[in-house]
Structures are given as C-alpha cells and as structure tokens.
Amino acid sequence: MAFLDHNTEYVYIVRSVPPEPAMLAEWNAWYDDDHIPKLLSVPGLASATRYEERGTGGYLAAYEIESPAVFEEPRYKEVTGWGAWEPHVKEWRRAIYRLETELPGG
C-alpha cells in the first residue's frame, strides 16, 4: 500500500499557530528552507507537505514516514523542535496516523 507518493503507511501531522503576522515571512522561510530539509534528512521520513489553514492563522505539515520508529533515529533527535522559534509558537499539536484503507485509484 502507498500513501501519496511513497511506499509508506504512516503520516505524521503537525498543526501549529505561528508568530504574529509581522514575523510570518521569516517563519515560513525558516520552516521551508531550514526545518523541513533537516527533517527530510532523517532516515524513514519520506516527504513533507505544508498547508495553510484558511482563516485561522494555523498551518498543517504532513510528513510521510515509514514507521513511528523514525522518532527514535539519532538524526531526528538532532533536528526536531522549534529552535529559536519556541517562544513564538502560540500553540501546536501532533498526531501519527496509519493507513487503514487505500481507495481505488489511490
């Protein structure tokens, strides 16, 4: 079974509400140009896609992962977290989902 573009059966979802609008361009640059490339260097983390939640100021990041074991990888432990952005992230939550059913055409 495959989810999105890879042979993964798990997706890791992170929803966050970033800093004030004045800091948004810098936040997005950090997330896209620094944070995601570092996460994608973790063995077992196959892809990342970000979405803006319209009307709420929130963002959702979806990561295809081979298994929850990626969170035990030494590299993951090196690159995870908000770094200098920690005090500016208003709220965040995360969850791991496992592919239950692949729909026809998927």
Side-chain angles (χ1 to χ4, degrees), residues 80-96:
T80 192
W82 300 113
W85 289 99
E86 182 81 32
H88 303 288
V89 177
K90 295 178 185 176
E91 64 181 78
W92 71 281
R93 62 181 176 247
R94 62 186 175 176
I96 301 169

Side-chain angles (χ1 to χ4, degrees), residues 18-38:
E20 299 301 321
M23 300 173 81
L24 202 52
E26 189 179 352
W27 159 264
N28 283 322
W30 169 79
Y31 211 112
D32 294 342
D33 301 332
D34 184 52
H35 188 58
I36 285 180
K38 285 179 180 174

Side-chain angles (χ1 to χ4, degrees), residues 1-4 8-9 98-106:
M1 290 186 164
F3 178 74
L4 299 177
T8 60
E9 63 179 277
R98 187 172 97 20
L99 179 66
E100 183 64 31
T101 305
E102 188 168 355
L103 301 174

Side-chain angles (χ1 to χ4, degrees), residues 46-103:
S47 74
T49 305
R50 289 185 68 216
Y51 301 89
E52 181 180 0
E53 205 174 282
R54 292 196 168 253
T56 69
Y59 284 82
L60 185 114
Y63 303 92
E64 289 179 273
I65 61 173
E66 291 175 5
S67 81
V70 301
F71 304 115
E72 299 305 317
E73 287 285 339
R75 179 66 179 153
Y76 178 79
K77 293 175 182 181
E78 291 172 12
V79 300
T80 192
W82 300 113
W85 289 99
E86 182 81 32
H88 303 288
V89 177
K90 295 178 185 176
E91 64 181 78
W92 71 281
R93 62 181 176 247
R94 62 186 175 176
I96 301 169
Y97 297 88
R98 187 172 97 20
L99 179 66
E100 183 64 31
T101 305
E102 188 168 355
L103 301 174

Side-chain angles (χ1 to χ4, degrees), residues 9-26:
E9 63 179 277
Y10 293 91
V11 64
Y12 172 52
I13 303 291
V14 178
R15 184 192 179 274
S16 59
V17 177
E20 299 301 321
M23 300 173 81
L24 202 52
E26 189 179 352

